[in-house]
Amino acid sequence: MKTSINKIFLLTFICFLCSCDYYKSPYFNELLKSEKGNLRGVEIGTNIENVKPVENVKFLKDETPEYLYYDYQLNMGNGYTVTYDFSENNELYEIEIAVYLDVIADATILFDDFSSFFNNKYKNGKKEEDGYSTWNTTSTLNGHHVAISIINDSEDYGFITILVRDLDY
């Protein structure tokens, strides 16, 4: 009886470990922010009033009725910007995150983590001729086709761009 309980516990523990997403980059969770929506808990088609509460107003650097720009510091030498673009109808049509890391290896790990995350969420992505990896989905808010793209453009320092855009805009 005791060995069967131990086996059940061990199997449960192994199943738990296998079901957990493990991302190696210390920056991944801060950049993702939430698994909801397309990125950072936001979905294409959202209005500006619903995007603002997702971000920290302290890091808001520029704002117009059709644009929000945030600039975050992760730690010394590492940071990222988040840009949201809205249509004249107040619908989000683009999210861009630009990540700047002082160590190229950190950028590679972060790129791999996001690629794995997007592969799990949207199925396997496609490598484009311009170097971007791209995944396609549909907005549940407006039914528009959405592309999620990422590129590791690291040369002298780590640089990653993540772009979510409304293909029907």
Side-chain angles (χ1 to χ4, degrees), residues 71-158:
D71 191 351
Y72 292 91
Q73 287 298 323
L74 294 164
N75 53 36
M76 184 61 100
N78 299 309
Y80 65 100
T81 61
V82 182
T83 306
Y84 297 96
D85 291 300
F86 299 87
S87 70
E88 54 282 345
N89 297 329
N90 192 21
E91 285 189 356
L92 179 66
Y93 69 86
E94 186 174 87
I95 306 167
E96 181 179 1
I97 298 179
V99 185
Y100 307 90
L101 302 172
D102 57 359
V103 177
I104 292 174
D106 290 345
T108 301
I109 292 167
L110 183 62
F111 176 85
D112 291 344
D113 284 351
F114 268 104
S115 294
S116 294
F117 173 78
F118 292 138
N119 279 334
N120 288 333
K121 186 169 183 175
Y122 301 113
K123 308 285 185 245
N124 286 337
K126 179 178 135 184
K127 185 79 170 189
E128 304 290 345
E129 289 180 19
D130 60 4
Y132 277 88
S133 295
T134 302
W135 297 262
N136 292 301
T137 188
T138 304
S139 171
T140 61
L141 297 177
N142 60 16
H144 290 192
H145 296 92
V146 176
I148 297 102
S149 303
I150 185 171
I151 191 167
N152 185 349
D153 264 342
S154 300
E155 288 184 21
D156 295 330
Y157 59 91

